Amino acid sequence: MQWFIEAHVILQAFLATLFTWGMTALGAGGVFLFPNPSRKVMDAMLGFAAGVMIAASFWSLLNPSIELSEQMGLIPWVPPLVGFLLGAGFIRLMDLVLPHLHLGQPVEQAEGIHTTWKKTLLLVLAITLHNIPEGLAVGVAFGAVGAGIPSADLAGAVALALGIGIQNFPEGLAVSGPLRREGMSPARSFFWGQLSAVVEPVAAVAGAAFVLAMQPVLPYALAFAAGAMIFVVVEEVIPESQLSGNSDVSTLGAIIGFAVMMTLDVALG
């Protein structure tokens, strides 16, 4: 563990998101054991993921952004507000451009630029879009530690990565499970399921490097990651968890996910 503490923050961010990617792969591997997972279980898992992302957006990103703005002598609500809106706007723009298909929808309802791509690829791209802000959030958190920000610490960044990793487990199965139900082999379902999180290490390294190079924008960057995650939760994760009428189960999952992430951040951060 000492070698991780002494590693460069960009390497730390990369390794942390290798863990979150690995958790996605572990979840996707569930398709070998549960070829036809219960929809109620899937909705509970999606709700859990939503709860984790909402809690992480405040405890690990927005709250530090507010504190950092005060420490830098800025109007404390301006950088969080600007960054939050820019983050949500960025994902909205990606949503309009990148071809993708949300879980549980027919291929005719694919969003983004019209293509003739297969449903499999469109589903994976939807989760990939979901994973960009998660990787970015982890990278920015580690970048804040490397920048020497007093309110940022390694334990908090690790707690964020741990929370993202935990919620990535059900996400992996949320991709591979539907692919398996459509007739794809377990091996191919697993491959596409884990592939959706490949973008997280890339986004993490980019986020950490950007923060180190442009330290004055850190409070904006933290809020940017939060806005991106909240957009994904509201536009994608929560609606998908409610599609099958399991609202009570998915809501309970969201409450538990929020509680878990809040506890991790407060206890370790």
Side-chain angles (χ1 to χ4, degrees):
M1 187 63 182
Q2 187 64 30
W3 64 269
F4 180 81
I5 295 174
E6 296 174 353
H8 192 278
V9 289
I10 293 181
L11 178 58
Q12 289 175 338
F14 177 72
L15 294 174
T17 44
L18 281 186
F19 163 73
T20 63
W21 179 15
M23 289 296 289
T24 303
L26 189 63
V31 75
F32 293 105
L33 300 175
F34 310 102
N36 189 25
S38 163
R39 182 67 212 195
K40 183 174 288 189
V41 172
M42 298 296 295
D43 289 342
M45 288 182 169
L46 286 171
F48 180 88
V52 168
M53 293 175 73
I54 292 171
S57 295
F58 176 74
W59 295 101
S60 300
L61 299 169
L62 279 176
N63 195 44
S65 174
I66 295 170
E67 293 178 356
L68 183 56
S69 297
E70 293 176 338
Q71 293 170 10
M72 295 174 66
L74 303 172
I75 300 174
W77 57 267
V78 171
L81 175 63
V82 173
F84 186 84
L85 293 177
L86 287 176
F90 171 75
I91 296 299
R92 175 56 179 162
L93 180 61
M94 294 284 289
D95 203 43
L96 292 172
V97 174
L98 183 69
H100 62 283
L101 178 67
H102 295 303
L103 296 173
Q105 294 183 342
V107 70
E108 292 78 15
Q109 294 185 18
E111 300 179 18
I113 297 174
H114 177 71
T115 70
T116 57
W117 293 349
K118 292 183 179 180
K119 185 176 182 179
T120 300
L121 180 57
L122 293 172
L123 286 170
V124 172
L125 285 174
I127 303 299
T128 300
L129 180 62
H130 179 160
N131 286 330
I132 290 174
E134 295 176 4
L136 182 63
V138 174
V140 169
F142 277 96
V145 176
I149 303 304
S151 59
D153 58 72
L154 182 60
V158 170
L160 175 60
L162 184 59
I164 295 295
I166 291 171
Q167 66 96 34
N168 272 4
F169 179 84
E171 283 185 4
L173 186 57
V175 179
S176 62
L179 296 179
R180 182 72 183 103
R181 283 198 297 269
E182 291 185 8
M184 189 174 290
S185 69
R188 289 195 64 198
S189 299
F190 166 76
F191 172 78
W192 287 108
Q194 62 81 31
L195 190 65
S196 64
V198 169
V199 71
E200 288 194 3
V202 177
V205 169
F210 180 75
V211 165
L212 288 176
M214 303 284 290
Q215 293 185 22
V217 305
L218 180 54
Y220 297 91
L222 287 165
F224 182 97
M229 283 215 291
I230 291 296
F231 185 95
V232 168
V233 170
V234 176
E235 196 265 346
E236 177 185 342
V237 183
I238 290 178
E240 287 173 7
S241 72
Q242 307 278 335
L243 279 176
S244 301
N246 297 315
S247 59
D248 291 342
V249 172
S250 61
T251 300
L252 180 60
I255 295 298
I256 295 173
F258 187 98
V260 168
M261 185 64 234
M262 178 178 65
T263 302
L264 283 173
D265 194 274
V266 175
L268 300 180

mmCIF file with all atom_site columns, all heavy atoms in Angstrom, residues 37-57:
data_model
loop_
_atom_site.group_PDB
_atom_site.id
_atom_site.type_symbol
_atom_site.label_atom_id
_atom_site.label_alt_id
_atom_site.label_comp_id
_atom_site.label_asym_id
_atom_site.label_entity_id
_atom_site.label_seq_id
_atom_site.pdbx_PDB_ins_code
_atom_site.Cartn_x
_atom_site.Cartn_y
_atom_site.Cartn_z
_atom_site.occupancy
_atom_site.B_iso_or_equiv
_atom_site.pdbx_formal_charge
_atom_site.auth_seq_id
_atom_site.auth_comp_id
_atom_site.auth_asym_id
_atom_site.auth_atom_id
_atom_site.pdbx_PDB_model_num
ATOM 1   N N   . PRO A 1 37 ? -30.604 -12.893 -15.400 1.00 0.00 ? 37 PRO A N   1
ATOM 2   C CA  . PRO A 1 37 ? -30.834 -12.253 -14.102 1.00 0.00 ? 37 PRO A CA  1
ATOM 3   C C   . PRO A 1 37 ? -32.227 -11.646 -13.993 1.00 0.00 ? 37 PRO A C   1
ATOM 4   O O   . PRO A 1 37 ? -32.783 -11.152 -14.974 1.00 0.00 ? 37 PRO A O   1
ATOM 5   C CB  . PRO A 1 37 ? -29.751 -11.176 -14.044 1.00 0.00 ? 37 PRO A CB  1
ATOM 6   C CG  . PRO A 1 37 ? -29.385 -10.925 -15.468 1.00 0.00 ? 37 PRO A CG  1
ATOM 7   C CD  . PRO A 1 37 ? -29.553 -12.222 -16.169 1.00 0.00 ? 37 PRO A CD  1
ATOM 8   N N   . SER A 1 38 ? -32.773 -11.704 -12.786 1.00 0.00 ? 38 SER A N   1
ATOM 9   C CA  . SER A 1 38 ? -34.093 -11.147 -12.524 1.00 0.00 ? 38 SER A CA  1
ATOM 10  C C   . SER A 1 38 ? -34.124 -9.647  -12.810 1.00 0.00 ? 38 SER A C   1
ATOM 11  O O   . SER A 1 38 ? -33.196 -8.914  -12.457 1.00 0.00 ? 38 SER A O   1
ATOM 12  C CB  . SER A 1 38 ? -34.472 -11.396 -11.058 1.00 0.00 ? 38 SER A CB  1
ATOM 13  O OG  . SER A 1 38 ? -35.520 -10.573 -10.641 1.00 0.00 ? 38 SER A OG  1
ATOM 14  N N   . ARG A 1 39 ? -35.191 -9.205  -13.453 1.00 0.00 ? 39 ARG A N   1
ATOM 15  C CA  . ARG A 1 39 ? -35.329 -7.784  -13.739 1.00 0.00 ? 39 ARG A CA  1
ATOM 16  C C   . ARG A 1 39 ? -35.441 -6.985  -12.447 1.00 0.00 ? 39 ARG A C   1
ATOM 17  O O   . ARG A 1 39 ? -34.942 -5.859  -12.349 1.00 0.00 ? 39 ARG A O   1
ATOM 18  C CB  . ARG A 1 39 ? -36.576 -7.549  -14.600 1.00 0.00 ? 39 ARG A CB  1
ATOM 19  C CG  . ARG A 1 39 ? -36.789 -6.094  -14.989 1.00 0.00 ? 39 ARG A CG  1
ATOM 20  C CD  . ARG A 1 39 ? -35.711 -5.583  -15.932 1.00 0.00 ? 39 ARG A CD  1
ATOM 21  N NE  . ARG A 1 39 ? -35.443 -4.176  -15.733 1.00 0.00 ? 39 ARG A NE  1
ATOM 22  C CZ  . ARG A 1 39 ? -34.781 -3.406  -16.580 1.00 0.00 ? 39 ARG A CZ  1
ATOM 23  N NH1 . ARG A 1 39 ? -34.323 -3.930  -17.700 1.00 0.00 ? 39 ARG A NH1 1
ATOM 24  N NH2 . ARG A 1 39 ? -34.551 -2.139  -16.323 1.00 0.00 ? 39 ARG A NH2 1
ATOM 25  N N   . LYS A 1 40 ? -36.060 -7.555  -11.430 1.00 0.00 ? 40 LYS A N   1
ATOM 26  C CA  . LYS A 1 40 ? -36.175 -6.853  -10.155 1.00 0.00 ? 40 LYS A CA  1
ATOM 27  C C   . LYS A 1 40 ? -34.801 -6.638  -9.535  1.00 0.00 ? 40 LYS A C   1
ATOM 28  O O   . LYS A 1 40 ? -34.509 -5.559  -8.994  1.00 0.00 ? 40 LYS A O   1
ATOM 29  C CB  . LYS A 1 40 ? -37.065 -7.648  -9.196  1.00 0.00 ? 40 LYS A CB  1
ATOM 30  C CG  . LYS A 1 40 ? -37.296 -6.964  -7.856  1.00 0.00 ? 40 LYS A CG  1
ATOM 31  C CD  . LYS A 1 40 ? -38.294 -7.722  -7.004  1.00 0.00 ? 40 LYS A CD  1
ATOM 32  C CE  . LYS A 1 40 ? -39.698 -7.561  -7.569  1.00 0.00 ? 40 LYS A CE  1
ATOM 33  N NZ  . LYS A 1 40 ? -40.733 -8.117  -6.644  1.00 0.00 ? 40 LYS A NZ  1
ATOM 34  N N   . VAL A 1 41 ? -33.946 -7.654  -9.631  1.00 0.00 ? 41 VAL A N   1
ATOM 35  C CA  . VAL A 1 41 ? -32.583 -7.521  -9.118  1.00 0.00 ? 41 VAL A CA  1
ATOM 36  C C   . VAL A 1 41 ? -31.822 -6.459  -9.904  1.00 0.00 ? 41 VAL A C   1
ATOM 37  O O   . VAL A 1 41 ? -31.104 -5.635  -9.332  1.00 0.00 ? 41 VAL A O   1
ATOM 38  C CB  . VAL A 1 41 ? -31.855 -8.879  -9.183  1.00 0.00 ? 41 VAL A CB  1
ATOM 39  C CG1 . VAL A 1 41 ? -30.374 -8.709  -8.843  1.00 0.00 ? 41 VAL A CG1 1
ATOM 40  C CG2 . VAL A 1 41 ? -32.495 -9.881  -8.236  1.00 0.00 ? 41 VAL A CG2 1
ATOM 41  N N   . MET A 1 42 ? -31.994 -6.479  -11.214 1.00 0.00 ? 42 MET A N   1
ATOM 42  C CA  . MET A 1 42 ? -31.314 -5.494  -12.048 1.00 0.00 ? 42 MET A CA  1
ATOM 43  C C   . MET A 1 42 ? -31.752 -4.076  -11.697 1.00 0.00 ? 42 MET A C   1
ATOM 44  O O   . MET A 1 42 ? -30.929 -3.152  -11.623 1.00 0.00 ? 42 MET A O   1
ATOM 45  C CB  . MET A 1 42 ? -31.615 -5.777  -13.524 1.00 0.00 ? 42 MET A CB  1
ATOM 46  C CG  . MET A 1 42 ? -31.120 -7.112  -14.017 1.00 0.00 ? 42 MET A CG  1
ATOM 47  S SD  . MET A 1 42 ? -29.329 -7.265  -13.976 1.00 0.00 ? 42 MET A SD  1
ATOM 48  C CE  . MET A 1 42 ? -28.866 -6.044  -15.178 1.00 0.00 ? 42 MET A CE  1
ATOM 49  N N   . ASP A 1 43 ? -33.048 -3.891  -11.459 1.00 0.00 ? 43 ASP A N   1
ATOM 50  C CA  . ASP A 1 43 ? -33.544 -2.559  -11.119 1.00 0.00 ? 43 ASP A CA  1
ATOM 51  C C   . ASP A 1 43 ? -33.029 -2.099  -9.761  1.00 0.00 ? 43 ASP A C   1
ATOM 52  O O   . ASP A 1 43 ? -32.724 -0.919  -9.565  1.00 0.00 ? 43 ASP A O   1
ATOM 53  C CB  . ASP A 1 43 ? -35.077 -2.557  -11.125 1.00 0.00 ? 43 ASP A CB  1
ATOM 54  C CG  . ASP A 1 43 ? -35.652 -2.672  -12.530 1.00 0.00 ? 43 ASP A CG  1
ATOM 55  O OD1 . ASP A 1 43 ? -34.899 -2.416  -13.489 1.00 0.00 ? 43 ASP A OD1 1
ATOM 56  O OD2 . ASP A 1 43 ? -36.834 -3.024  -12.670 1.00 0.00 ? 43 ASP A OD2 1
ATOM 57  N N   . ALA A 1 44 ? -32.916 -3.033  -8.824  1.00 0.00 ? 44 ALA A N   1
ATOM 58  C CA  . ALA A 1 44 ? -32.347 -2.695  -7.516  1.00 0.00 ? 44 ALA A CA  1
ATOM 59  C C   . ALA A 1 44 ? -30.891 -2.270  -7.660  1.00 0.00 ? 44 ALA A C   1
ATOM 60  O O   . ALA A 1 44 ? -30.433 -1.315  -7.020  1.00 0.00 ? 44 ALA A O   1
ATOM 61  C CB  . ALA A 1 44 ? -32.461 -3.888  -6.574  1.00 0.00 ? 44 ALA A CB  1
ATOM 62  N N   . MET A 1 45 ? -30.158 -2.982  -8.528  1.00 0.00 ? 45 MET A N   1
ATOM 63  C CA  . MET A 1 45 ? -28.753 -2.646  -8.756  1.00 0.00 ? 45 MET A CA  1
ATOM 64  C C   . MET A 1 45 ? -28.602 -1.283  -9.424  1.00 0.00 ? 45 MET A C   1
ATOM 65  O O   . MET A 1 45 ? -27.718 -0.496  -9.078  1.00 0.00 ? 45 MET A O   1
ATOM 66  C CB  . MET A 1 45 ? -28.098 -3.724  -9.617  1.00 0.00 ? 45 MET A CB  1
ATOM 67  C CG  . MET A 1 45 ? -27.873 -5.036  -8.901  1.00 0.00 ? 45 MET A CG  1
ATOM 68  S SD  . MET A 1 45 ? -27.050 -6.245  -9.972  1.00 0.00 ? 45 MET A SD  1
ATOM 69  C CE  . MET A 1 45 ? -26.639 -7.525  -8.776  1.00 0.00 ? 45 MET A CE  1
ATOM 70  N N   . LEU A 1 46 ? -29.458 -0.991  -10.402 1.00 0.00 ? 46 LEU A N   1
ATOM 71  C CA  . LEU A 1 46 ? -29.416 0.316   -11.048 1.00 0.00 ? 46 LEU A CA  1
ATOM 72  C C   . LEU A 1 46 ? -29.747 1.422   -10.049 1.00 0.00 ? 46 LEU A C   1
ATOM 73  O O   . LEU A 1 46 ? -29.129 2.490   -10.067 1.00 0.00 ? 46 LEU A O   1
ATOM 74  C CB  . LEU A 1 46 ? -30.388 0.346   -12.227 1.00 0.00 ? 46 LEU A CB  1
ATOM 75  C CG  . LEU A 1 46 ? -29.968 -0.413  -13.488 1.00 0.00 ? 46 LEU A CG  1
ATOM 76  C CD1 . LEU A 1 46 ? -31.129 -0.474  -14.482 1.00 0.00 ? 46 LEU A CD1 1
ATOM 77  C CD2 . LEU A 1 46 ? -28.750 0.240   -14.133 1.00 0.00 ? 46 LEU A CD2 1
ATOM 78  N N   . GLY A 1 47 ? -30.726 1.177   -9.194  1.00 0.00 ? 47 GLY A N   1
ATOM 79  C CA  . GLY A 1 47 ? -31.053 2.147   -8.157  1.00 0.00 ? 47 GLY A CA  1
ATOM 80  C C   . GLY A 1 47 ? -29.874 2.381   -7.227  1.00 0.00 ? 47 GLY A C   1
ATOM 81  O O   . GLY A 1 47 ? -29.578 3.523   -6.861  1.00 0.00 ? 47 GLY A O   1
ATOM 82  N N   . PHE A 1 48 ? -29.197 1.296   -6.866  1.00 0.00 ? 48 PHE A N   1
ATOM 83  C CA  . PHE A 1 48 ? -28.018 1.405   -6.009  1.00 0.00 ? 48 PHE A CA  1
ATOM 84  C C   . PHE A 1 48 ? -26.958 2.272   -6.680  1.00 0.00 ? 48 PHE A C   1
ATOM 85  O O   . PHE A 1 48 ? -26.361 3.148   -6.049  1.00 0.00 ? 48 PHE A O   1
ATOM 86  C CB  . PHE A 1 48 ? -27.462 0.013   -5.726  1.00 0.00 ? 48 PHE A CB  1
ATOM 87  C CG  . PHE A 1 48 ? -26.236 -0.003  -4.858  1.00 0.00 ? 48 PHE A CG  1
ATOM 88  C CD1 . PHE A 1 48 ? -26.354 -0.037  -3.473  1.00 0.00 ? 48 PHE A CD1 1
ATOM 89  C CD2 . PHE A 1 48 ? -24.969 0.014   -5.420  1.00 0.00 ? 48 PHE A CD2 1
ATOM 90  C CE1 . PHE A 1 48 ? -25.217 -0.047  -2.670  1.00 0.00 ? 48 PHE A CE1 1
ATOM 91  C CE2 . PHE A 1 48 ? -23.835 0.013   -4.623  1.00 0.00 ? 48 PHE A CE2 1
ATOM 92  C CZ  . PHE A 1 48 ? -23.964 -0.027  -3.249  1.00 0.00 ? 48 PHE A CZ  1
ATOM 93  N N   . ALA A 1 49 ? -26.716 2.028   -7.968  1.00 0.00 ? 49 ALA A N   1
ATOM 94  C CA  . ALA A 1 49 ? -25.737 2.817   -8.710  1.00 0.00 ? 49 ALA A CA  1
ATOM 95  C C   . ALA A 1 49 ? -26.117 4.295   -8.712  1.00 0.00 ? 49 ALA A C   1
ATOM 96  O O   . ALA A 1 49 ? -25.264 5.171   -8.545  1.00 0.00 ? 49 ALA A O   1
ATOM 97  C CB  . ALA A 1 49 ? -25.616 2.299   -10.144 1.00 0.00 ? 49 ALA A CB  1
ATOM 98  N N   . ALA A 1 50 ? -27.407 4.581   -8.885  1.00 0.00 ? 50 ALA A N   1
ATOM 99  C CA  . ALA A 1 50 ? -27.864 5.969   -8.881  1.00 0.00 ? 50 ALA A CA  1
ATOM 100 C C   . ALA A 1 50 ? -27.607 6.624   -7.530  1.00 0.00 ? 50 ALA A C   1
ATOM 101 O O   . ALA A 1 50 ? -27.153 7.774   -7.456  1.00 0.00 ? 50 ALA A O   1
ATOM 102 C CB  . ALA A 1 50 ? -29.354 6.025   -9.225  1.00 0.00 ? 50 ALA A CB  1
ATOM 103 N N   . GLY A 1 51 ? -27.888 5.904   -6.454  1.00 0.00 ? 51 GLY A N   1
ATOM 104 C CA  . GLY A 1 51 ? -27.661 6.447   -5.115  1.00 0.00 ? 51 GLY A CA  1
ATOM 105 C C   . GLY A 1 51 ? -26.205 6.764   -4.857  1.00 0.00 ? 51 GLY A C   1
ATOM 106 O O   . GLY A 1 51 ? -25.866 7.815   -4.292  1.00 0.00 ? 51 GLY A O   1
ATOM 107 N N   . VAL A 1 52 ? -25.314 5.874   -5.278  1.00 0.00 ? 52 VAL A N   1
ATOM 108 C CA  . VAL A 1 52 ? -23.877 6.099   -5.111  1.00 0.00 ? 52 VAL A CA  1
ATOM 109 C C   . VAL A 1 52 ? -23.438 7.341   -5.880  1.00 0.00 ? 52 VAL A C   1
ATOM 110 O O   . VAL A 1 52 ? -22.694 8.184   -5.370  1.00 0.00 ? 52 VAL A O   1
ATOM 111 C CB  . VAL A 1 52 ? -23.073 4.865   -5.582  1.00 0.00 ? 52 VAL A CB  1
ATOM 112 C CG1 . VAL A 1 52 ? -21.585 5.195   -5.681  1.00 0.00 ? 52 VAL A CG1 1
ATOM 113 C CG2 . VAL A 1 52 ? -23.282 3.697   -4.630  1.00 0.00 ? 52 VAL A CG2 1
ATOM 114 N N   . MET A 1 53 ? -23.910 7.468   -7.109  1.00 0.00 ? 53 MET A N   1
ATOM 115 C CA  . MET A 1 53 ? -23.495 8.595   -7.947  1.00 0.00 ? 53 MET A CA  1
ATOM 116 C C   . MET A 1 53 ? -24.009 9.929   -7.404  1.00 0.00 ? 53 MET A C   1
ATOM 117 O O   . MET A 1 53 ? -23.311 10.950  -7.449  1.00 0.00 ? 53 MET A O   1
ATOM 118 C CB  . MET A 1 53 ? -23.974 8.384   -9.380  1.00 0.00 ? 53 MET A CB  1
ATOM 119 C CG  . MET A 1 53 ? -23.298 7.212   -10.076 1.00 0.00 ? 53 MET A CG  1
ATOM 120 S SD  . MET A 1 53 ? -23.967 6.877   -11.719 1.00 0.00 ? 53 MET A SD  1
ATOM 121 C CE  . MET A 1 53 ? -23.305 8.261   -12.653 1.00 0.00 ? 53 MET A CE  1
ATOM 122 N N   . ILE A 1 54 ? -25.229 9.940   -6.875  1.00 0.00 ? 54 ILE A N   1
ATOM 123 C CA  . ILE A 1 54 ? -25.773 11.177  -6.306  1.00 0.00 ? 54 ILE A CA  1
ATOM 124 C C   . ILE A 1 54 ? -24.963 11.586  -5.076  1.00 0.00 ? 54 ILE A C   1
ATOM 125 O O   . ILE A 1 54 ? -24.585 12.760  -4.922  1.00 0.00 ? 54 ILE A O   1
ATOM 126 C CB  . ILE A 1 54 ? -27.259 10.998  -5.933  1.00 0.00 ? 54 ILE A CB  1
ATOM 127 C CG1 . ILE A 1 54 ? -28.101 10.822  -7.202  1.00 0.00 ? 54 ILE A CG1 1
ATOM 128 C CG2 . ILE A 1 54 ? -27.757 12.201  -5.141  1.00 0.00 ? 54 ILE A CG2 1
ATOM 129 C CD1 . ILE A 1 54 ? -29.541 10.419  -6.927  1.00 0.00 ? 54 ILE A CD1 1
ATOM 130 N N   . ALA A 1 55 ? -24.691 10.619  -4.186  1.00 0.00 ? 55 ALA A N   1
ATOM 131 C CA  . ALA A 1 55 ? -23.924 10.924  -2.978  1.00 0.00 ? 55 ALA A CA  1
ATOM 132 C C   . ALA A 1 55 ? -22.515 11.381  -3.323  1.00 0.00 ? 55 ALA A C   1
ATOM 133 O O   . ALA A 1 55 ? -21.999 12.347  -2.746  1.00 0.00 ? 55 ALA A O   1
ATOM 134 C CB  . ALA A 1 55 ? -23.879 9.697   -2.071  1.00 0.00 ? 55 ALA A CB  1
ATOM 135 N N   . ALA A 1 56 ? -21.881 10.692  -4.274  1.00 0.00 ? 56 ALA A N   1
ATOM 136 C CA  . ALA A 1 56 ? -20.522 11.066  -4.671  1.00 0.00 ? 56 ALA A CA  1
ATOM 137 C C   . ALA A 1 56 ? -20.494 12.468  -5.265  1.00 0.00 ? 56 ALA A C   1
ATOM 138 O O   . ALA A 1 56 ? -19.534 13.225  -5.056  1.00 0.00 ? 56 ALA A O   1
ATOM 139 C CB  . ALA A 1 56 ? -19.976 10.050  -5.675  1.00 0.00 ? 56 ALA A CB  1
ATOM 140 N N   . SER A 1 57 ? -21.542 12.823  -5.989  1.00 0.00 ? 57 SER A N   1
ATOM 141 C CA  . SER A 1 57 ? -21.586 14.141  -6.620  1.00 0.00 ? 57 SER A CA  1
ATOM 142 C C   . SER A 1 57 ? -21.543 15.257  -5.580  1.00 0.00 ? 57 SER A C   1
ATOM 143 O O   . SER A 1 57 ? -20.908 16.301  -5.803  1.00 0.00 ? 57 SER A O   1
ATOM 144 C CB  . SER A 1 57 ? -22.853 14.276  -7.473  1.00 0.00 ? 57 SER A CB  1
ATOM 145 O OG  . SER A 1 57 ? -22.826 13.375  -8.550  1.00 0.00 ? 57 SER A OG  1
#
